[in-house]
Amino acid sequence: QESINPDVQPNPSDNTVDIGYSVEEAAADQIRLSAGFAAGYLMLEAGLQFSNFSMRNIFNKKAWRPLPMGDGQKLGISVSTLGRYYLTYNISFTEPWLGGRKPNAFTVAFYQSFFTNNYEKADSRYGWFNQTGATVGLGRRLTWPDDYFALYQGLNFKRYSLENYQSIHLTVGDGNGKFNLISYSIILSRNSVSQPLYPRSGSEFQLGLEITPPYSLFSDKDYTKLDDNEKYKWIEMHRWNFKAAWYTELYEKLVMMTRVRFGYLGYYNDQIGPTPFHRFFLGGDGLANYSLDSRELVGMRGYANSSLTPGFYSNSGTGGTGGNILAKYTLELRYPLSLNPQATIYALTFLEAGNCWLGLQNFDPFSVKRSAGVGVRIFLPMFGLLGLDWGYGFDDVYGTTGNNGSQFHFSIGGSID
């Protein structure tokens, strides 16, 4: 935005104007490499995203530079591991112009995660948890109510397989069984921000729903007498997400960002209740080091990872319950240090509040945990958006102390937002 200088050439004879822009193609591919050590584990992660891929030239040797490029398609590959304890990988492909004339984004993704309880295979206590899934989706821009709206629809297929797997992070039945999910997702969004890297005006709204068939409503089974392995064999739920953000330029380049977020995990049958999968976990940096049980990790600064989640800390050792209702509010003041598109940097200070509840009977949108702090964001084309924040949590967390107060958070790609 800061370096675009159009060449304006008016033609009074026919009342037209020619406008020329001098542009150059910016690097859009990204590479992600990371390593970390905590709690006795070394975690390694690697990822590649090619943003100008060409599927039709895949058999054209001359088009490989180092991969076939030129059609604006996106190809993403990532893998992460904690050694024998954990391994996950995913592959995704997006065609942003399905049909060739309209911006219809068609996406196909496949992913798999494998966890163990860290015992040797020869040990009788050895167990594992495997998650396999695929998604097919189509996103398209709308012209009504205005040109800022977009609609995404997708079909999701997942299978969770457990064998002798009992963990504080996931407890379903006796630790053995197979659980299946078939769901339909729909997301209606509106985005009128002035620019993606450092918006100074505009707003973002998103309303999403993921829904499964209500299997139990067509069955005459008494679910109160079934064990968890049978009760959750075919997962049923409806999960709602709402996000909204507003950007207001208070003074030249000084921007106030206001954001709210709500989530709800519902169910059809009182005899079954909310599914143990797909729950909300609030607190920390929001980075998903592993996609265990399809939980949604929501960052909140000033508190440890997932510490604002019901049942996450428990004297009985059965943490990881997760919440089925979520609320989060953010007020952030931003000022840019550099608006160069190749290295956008801005500083920020924030006030944040949020909480996570188990059941509508406990929900109170004003009973929230509070925090405040400062941070910095750096956008580099090769690595995307990187963030470092310091936050102070003012309130105690569930079932423990010492997981609030002063906290540093590192984020990637807006994970904490």
Side-chain angles (χ1 to χ4, degrees):
Q1 179 175 340
E2 306 302 319
S3 60
I4 295 177
N5 296 306
D7 177 23
V8 182
Q9 300 289 339
N11 188 343
S13 63
D14 61 0
N15 295 321
T16 63
V17 177
D18 290 335
I19 304 177
Y21 290 92
S22 298
V23 299
E24 62 182 66
E25 185 174 353
D29 297 338
Q30 294 184 2
I31 182 173
R32 184 175 72 252
L33 300 170
S34 66
F37 184 82
Y41 294 104
L42 175 65
M43 178 159 187
L44 304 174
E45 183 175 3
L48 291 170
Q49 179 173 296
F50 301 97
S51 299
N52 195 21
F53 187 72
S54 175
M55 180 65 75
R56 66 186 176 91
N57 286 321
I58 198 167
F59 298 109
N60 182 0
K61 295 182 179 180
K62 296 181 180 180
W64 286 68
R65 301 187 305 271
L67 291 175
M69 299 292 180
D71 286 343
Q73 299 165 344
K74 292 184 179 181
L75 177 66
I77 304 171
S78 67
V79 60
S80 58
T81 181
L82 279 170
R84 69 184 184 187
Y85 176 70
Y86 166 70
L87 173 67
T88 185
Y89 64 87
N90 66 74
I91 302 172
S92 65
F93 171 80
T94 299
E95 166 55 74
W97 292 88
L98 184 67
R101 292 189 300 173
K102 295 182 179 180
N104 297 323
F106 177 72
T107 300
V108 179
F110 176 82
Y111 47 91
Q112 187 169 48
S113 302
F114 184 77
F115 311 82
T116 75
N117 54 10
N118 210 26
Y119 290 106
E120 297 285 349
K121 287 186 177 181
D123 195 313
S124 61
R125 295 170 294 178
Y126 175 78
W128 53 264
F129 170 54
N130 184 61
Q131 177 187 173
T132 303
T135 297
V136 179
L138 178 65
R140 58 189 299 261
R141 217 160 46 200
L142 304 178
T143 57
W144 187 89
D146 58 40
D147 292 342
Y148 296 121
F149 278 86
L151 181 69
Y152 169 85
Q153 299 178 81
L155 292 175
N156 312 292
F157 309 90
K158 293 183 184 180
R159 164 166 279 200
Y160 307 96
S161 301
L162 289 80
E163 183 171 317
N164 196 31
Y165 189 87
Q166 291 282 359
S167 166
I168 63 171
H169 301 297
L170 176 67
T171 302
V172 183
D174 60 0
N176 296 277
K178 291 179 171 58
F179 308 93
N180 307 284
L181 173 91
I182 300 176
S183 66
Y184 164 72
S185 298
I186 182 170
I187 300 173
L188 179 66
S189 61
R190 185 182 188 275
N191 188 330
S192 63
V193 300
S194 56
Q195 61 168 329
L197 296 184
Y198 188 75
R200 305 181 194 180
S201 62
S203 60
E204 298 175 272
F205 295 91
Q206 185 182 103
L207 176 62
L209 168 64
E210 182 178 4
I211 187 170
T212 69
Y215 306 104
S216 63
L217 299 184
F218 304 104
S219 172
D220 56 0
K221 296 179 181 178
D222 184 355
Y223 284 87
T224 61
K225 298 180 179 179
L226 299 180
D227 59 28
D228 286 353
N229 289 8
E230 183 66 24
K231 183 185 296 185
Y232 302 117
K233 183 177 181 180
W234 290 97
I235 298 169
E236 54 180 55
M237 66 173 192
H238 51 95
R239 186 168 71 163
W240 302 76
N241 266 299
F242 175 75
K243 305 175 186 178
W246 297 266
Y247 301 89
T248 306
E249 190 169 24
L250 303 178
Y251 188 67
E252 184 179 1
K253 301 179 183 179
L254 180 65
V255 175
M256 176 71 75
M257 188 277 295
T258 308
R259 182 170 51 226
V260 296
R261 179 171 182 176
F262 298 98
Y264 174 66
L265 176 64
Y267 53 91
Y268 308 110
N269 192 328
D270 291 336
Q271 295 182 359
I272 298 178
T275 171
F277 303 94
H278 294 261
R279 297 202 174 193
F280 300 104
F281 287 73
L282 177 66
D285 52 32
L287 285 171
N289 288 336
Y290 50 83
S291 55
L292 184 68
D293 63 27
S294 298
R295 62 186 58 184
E296 185 168 350
L297 302 177
V298 181
M300 182 168 159
R301 293 162 286 193
Y303 297 90
N305 286 353
S306 300
S307 61
L308 300 180
T309 305
F312 193 80
Y313 294 102
S314 171
N315 294 330
S316 64
T318 57
T321 302
N324 59 338
I325 305 177
L326 170 79
K328 180 185 172 185
Y329 317 96
T330 303
L331 192 65
E332 197 169 275
L333 194 63
R334 300 174 172 181
Y335 190 79
L337 306 178
S338 168
L339 289 175
N340 186 328
Q342 301 301 314
T344 302
I345 306 172
Y346 62 88
L348 61 89
T349 181
F350 67 88
L351 296 172
E352 207 153 55
N355 212 340
C356 197
W357 298 268
L358 187 61
L360 282 172
Q361 67 276 11
N362 302 316
F363 174 61
D364 182 353
F366 303 106
S367 176
V368 292
K369 311 295 184 179
R370 303 157 300 162
S371 66
V374 295
V376 64
R377 294 291 182 273
I378 303 174
F379 177 84
L380 301 173
M382 179 175 287
F383 297 101
L385 185 65
L386 307 176
L388 180 64
D389 295 87
W390 172 84
Y392 188 89
F394 298 102
D395 300 294
D396 290 335
V397 299
Y398 296 105
T400 187
T401 58
N403 287 284
N404 57 337
S406 179
Q407 300 276 342
F408 281 95
H409 306 284
F410 176 73
S411 59
I412 299 175
S415 61
I416 212 164
D417 302 321

